[in-house]
Amino acid sequence: MGSGWSSEEERQPLLGPGLGPAPGAAWRSREAAAALPAAAPSPGRVYGRRWLVLLLFSLLGFAQGLVWNTWGPIQNSARQAYGFSSWDIALLVLWGPIGFLPCFAFMWLLDKRGLRITVLLTSFLMVLGTGLRCIPVSDLMLKRRLIHGGQLLNGLAGPTVMNAAPFLSTTWFSADERATATAIASMLSYLGGACAFLVGPLVVPAPNGTAPLLASENSRAHIKNLIETVLYAEFGGVCLLFSATLAYFPPRPPLPPSVAAASQRLSYRRSFCRLLSNLRFLMIALAYAIPLGVFAGWSGVLDLILTPVHVSQVDAGWIGFWSIVGGCVVGIAMARFADFIRGMLKLILLLLFSGATLSSTWFTLTCLNSITHLPLTTVTLYASCILLGVFLNSSIPIFFELFVETVYPVPEGITCGVVTFLSNMFMGVLLFFLTFYHTELSWFNWCLPGSCLLSLLLILCFRESYDRLYLDVVVSV
């Protein structure tokens, strides 16, 4: 099923002799069956330390997301403390997508040097970035530049923490745990960004614009001190994670956990040729990049979108927080379900995007209550927005697993690097456009159901295949 791009040499496992194909395997293709060895291998072995490796990587992703979203929730306080302009605040967010420009260099490093070297470099960039923001200088112009430089360095850590999850799960976890590990490793970065909505506002108070001049100066100094407390705390946490990964983060287990983990992969150059010539991969990549890019841009201006319907900025922030948290919980639950019921990734995505299409349509029509006469209440806005975020965010790890299965034996890091690069570039263009043209945003609401419906149709027409899973199930049994 769809493995006609694989040669016999590329599909040959390295584990040694293995069983011949079992009759009636659901994921079989002629090419995959022909590539299987003839006698029985020892089944893969998993190690308890795999959970420690997963924990360290997930915490690194959590910290990267937390640092990236430091300034959005406290932007009014940051304006008063450091003199940030609207363009500065937008650029602090844009450093995340911009950090994906050298994405393929990190994927090359992951493919050639392995997980440990790549993760150490990533965590070191985060140490430099968070440290740069903490340098005590009195010149506000220089301080703003240091903060921008720190956010850029943290953005450069994004390609690893967002792309390497499937590579880690294949390297360390068995076939019936891979989707769960991918979901945990990939979702924690989003959870870190969501927790920034809590950490910042809880520590840093909003500025009081009605205070007298002297009180205002004291308030500015107080706010600046509290912001620096947050920056020092994030710097300390990142340094602790870097020390932990430096002390213990092995590149791979002594023995591979599955046949797929030990099988040969395509070279870096041949991988890109394979991806760009695979129409099925391009179809599912667009199904991922378009709606999630639109949703990310829409989330960035959610407070502006909800202002005409009298929803405050605080409520908009809570909507964004719960949609991400709900998406993380549901995403991990869906991935665990996918591990138990194998070969159902397409069906799960169809269900999730059906819900996303209905939720986005509900929200858009509710905002037009003067025409549709649908009830416009806080409950309906909360419910529609949170459901939309849950459906879209929880689809991310399912997409990652389907990408890898579709183009196997292309390395996992390269595959996910291409799709996240597309998604971040799409999000970056939208955020850049909305920075200058945000006076009328009602049209943007219609982009959500349109993009979700387009993705639903692409997934419906997509022909799934599970060549990696087929190797593990047939050869290992």
Side-chain angles (χ1 to χ4, degrees):
M1 297 173 59
S3 61
W5 299 278
S6 302
S7 68
E8 183 173 349
E9 179 185 358
E10 293 159 0
R11 297 298 308 280
Q12 186 69 29
L14 298 180
L15 276 178
L19 267 177
W27 306 282
R28 179 178 324 186
S29 67
R30 279 198 310 247
E31 294 81 356
L36 292 175
S42 59
R45 178 180 175 184
V46 292
Y47 298 83
R49 71 192 78 167
R50 69 192 186 280
W51 297 110
L52 176 59
V53 173
L54 178 63
L55 175 65
L56 288 175
F57 183 87
S58 301
L59 289 177
L60 196 66
F62 180 90
Q64 199 273 340
L66 183 68
V67 172
W68 169 71
N69 198 29
T70 298
W71 302 100
I74 58 171
Q75 56 178 291
N76 291 328
S77 302
R79 290 173 194 267
Q80 179 168 331
Y82 297 106
F84 282 127
S85 64
S86 298
W87 168 245
D88 283 318
I89 297 296
L91 188 57
L92 288 171
V93 177
L94 280 171
W95 287 127
I98 292 172
F100 270 79
L101 289 176
C103 169
F104 301 115
F106 285 91
M107 296 307 99
W108 175 87
L109 185 66
L110 181 65
D111 185 44
K112 297 298 182 182
R113 301 303 302 272
L115 197 59
R116 175 175 172 81
I117 297 298
T118 309
V119 169
L120 284 176
L121 175 61
T122 296
S123 56
F124 182 65
L125 288 173
M126 291 174 60
V127 169
L128 290 180
T130 52
L132 205 62
R133 305 185 309 170
C134 296
I135 296 177
V137 292
S138 57
D139 187 349
L140 286 182
M141 175 64 72
L142 179 58
K143 183 67 175 181
R144 288 195 295 268
R145 290 178 179 176
L146 290 173
I147 291 174
H148 279 290
Q151 292 299 119
L152 173 59
L153 289 172
N154 182 74
L156 292 174
T160 300
V161 300
M162 297 186 70
N163 296 336
F167 182 87
L168 182 146
S169 63
T170 300
T171 303
W172 282 93
F173 289 83
S174 60
D176 59 352
E177 295 175 334
R178 275 198 301 246
T180 304
T182 298
I184 294 173
S186 59
M187 289 283 94
L188 263 290
S189 177
Y190 294 90
L191 187 60
C195 286
F197 287 105
L198 293 180
V199 174
L202 285 177
V203 177
V204 182
N208 183 5
T210 60
L213 180 60
L214 181 59
S216 178
E217 288 296 327
N218 293 333
S219 174
R220 182 181 296 109
H222 179 61
I223 289 174
K224 185 178 179 182
N225 289 335
L226 291 176
I227 291 177
E228 289 179 351
T229 300
V230 173
L231 299 184
Y232 280 116
E234 291 177 348
F235 176 58
V238 170
C239 288
L240 185 62
L241 285 173
F242 175 69
S243 301
T245 54
L246 187 63
Y248 184 79
F249 198 93
R252 65 182 64 84
L255 293 174
S258 64
V259 176
S263 62
Q264 294 179 354
R265 303 305 171 90
L266 297 183
S267 66
Y268 192 73
R269 181 183 61 83
R270 292 184 65 189
S271 295
F272 276 99
C273 294
R274 175 72 59 86
L275 293 177
L276 296 178
S277 62
N278 190 330
L279 294 179
R280 293 192 308 126
F281 170 75
L282 295 176
M283 179 188 299
I284 201 69
L286 289 177
Y288 169 87
I290 294 176
L292 287 168
V294 171
F295 178 69
W298 177 83
S299 300
V301 293
L302 183 59
D303 57 330
L304 298 177
I305 291 174
L306 294 177
T307 298
V309 292
H310 311 293
V311 175
S312 68
Q313 182 175 337
V314 174
D315 285 333
W318 278 110
I319 289 173
F321 172 78
W322 286 116
S323 65
I324 295 174
V325 172
C328 293
V329 173
V330 174
I332 294 173
M334 284 291 182
R336 194 69 194 126
F337 174 76
D339 277 331
F340 279 113
I341 311 296
R342 300 176 184 178
M344 305 288 286
L345 298 178
K346 176 180 175 179
L347 177 60
I348 294 174
L349 286 177
L350 285 174
L351 294 175
L352 291 176
F353 272 86
S354 296
T357 303
L358 293 175
S359 301
S360 57
T361 304
W362 180 22
F363 172 80
T364 302
L365 294 179
T366 299
C367 291
L368 297 174
N369 68 316
S370 60
I371 300 175
T372 61
H373 302 292
L374 291 175
L376 178 61
T377 64
T378 303
V379 174
T380 58
L381 289 175
Y382 261 78
S384 58
C385 288
I386 291 174
L387 282 175
L388 174 61
V390 166
F391 286 128
L392 287 180
N393 288 323
S394 61
S395 70
I396 294 171
I398 307 300
F399 264 121
F400 280 0
E401 286 295 299
L402 188 57
F403 292 144
V404 174
E405 295 285 355
T406 299
V407 297
Y408 181 86
V410 174
E412 292 85 354
I414 296 175
T415 302
C416 296
V418 170
V419 294
T420 52
F421 177 82
L422 291 175
S423 178
N424 276 273
M425 291 305 100
F426 199 84
M427 177 184 70
V429 170
L430 278 175
L431 288 175
F432 182 80
F433 178 79
L434 291 171
T435 300
F436 296 100
Y437 304 99
H438 59 266
T439 54
E440 177 57 48
L441 292 175
S442 60
W443 61 270
F444 202 21
N445 288 337
W446 288 106
C447 294
L448 273 173
S451 62
C452 291
L453 181 59
L454 174 61
S455 180
L456 183 63
L457 294 176
L458 289 173
I459 296 171
L460 190 62
C461 297
F462 174 74
R463 180 170 56 87
E464 60 189 333
S465 63
Y466 297 91
D467 286 345
R468 181 185 63 165
L469 182 59
Y470 171 71
L471 274 185
D472 288 326
V473 171
V474 174
V475 177
S476 300
V477 172

